[in-house]
Amino acid sequence: MEEVGTMTNLKKFKNKEELLEELSSDIVELLQDEIEEKGKASLLVSGGSTPKPLFQKLSNIDISWEKVTISLVDDRWLEPTHKDSNELLVKENLMQNFASKAKFVGMFIEGKTAYESDEDCSLTYEDNVFP
């Protein structure tokens, strides 16, 4: 009988840098494949301190970032300039260097509630990502 929930592709890394190298290479490969196939790509990320080193590494990789739209999978309902905003974290750590050419679709819209902004964000994202 097969066990449910077992990991069959468990990878071990010697250190954090080795993990970051492989993860960033995998992400870049997926983005480049999507750009070649569709002319553009999207990258949806989480905030918080855990992905910060990955963001910094990705920002220094030279790909066609102008064809990439970056957005968040979640955020706190804060002004994008607030120190606890995931949008600020992404802009300060990922959308730098080569990746500064990427487009960003944020979740926060001034003067609207989170529920009111949901549709606007979705439409803006679709306009930037889908042909």
Side-chain angles (χ1 to χ4, degrees), residues 29-40:
E29 184 179 336
L30 290 168
L31 289 172
Q32 289 178 317
D33 288 349
E34 195 71 9
I35 290 168
E36 285 178 27
E37 185 180 320
K38 297 182 179 173
K40 54 176 105 175

Side-chain angles (χ1 to χ4, degrees), residues 108-125:
F108 182 88
I109 299 175
E110 177 117 18
K112 292 191 175 192
T113 68
Y115 295 108
E116 293 169 334
S117 295
D118 180 47
E119 187 174 333
D120 289 347
C121 291
S122 295
L123 291 172
T124 301
Y125 180 76

Side-chain angles (χ1 to χ4, degrees), residues 29-87:
E29 184 179 336
L30 290 168
L31 289 172
Q32 289 178 317
D33 288 349
E34 195 71 9
I35 290 168
E36 285 178 27
E37 185 180 320
K38 297 182 179 173
K40 54 176 105 175
S42 60
L43 178 61
L44 301 174
V45 299
S46 293
S49 60
T50 301
K52 188 175 175 180
L54 175 64
F55 293 167
Q56 293 167 346
K57 184 149 188 83
L58 286 170
S59 78
N60 285 294
I61 299 174
D62 189 9
I63 63 168
S64 299
W65 285 105
E66 67 279 0
K67 296 178 181 179
V68 177
T69 298
I70 299 171
S71 192
L72 291 158
V73 297
D74 65 339
D75 202 353
R76 298 167 185 93
W77 198 250
L78 302 167
E79 294 277 341
T81 55
H82 190 282
K83 67 178 181 63
D84 294 327
S85 165
N86 288 334
E87 181 173 335

Side-chain angles (χ1 to χ4, degrees), residues 2-15:
E2 186 176 325
E3 290 185 51
V4 176
T6 59
M7 291 186 164
T8 56
N9 290 337
L10 182 64
K11 290 187 178 184
K12 293 183 180 183
F13 299 93
K14 294 176 189 169
N15 54 46

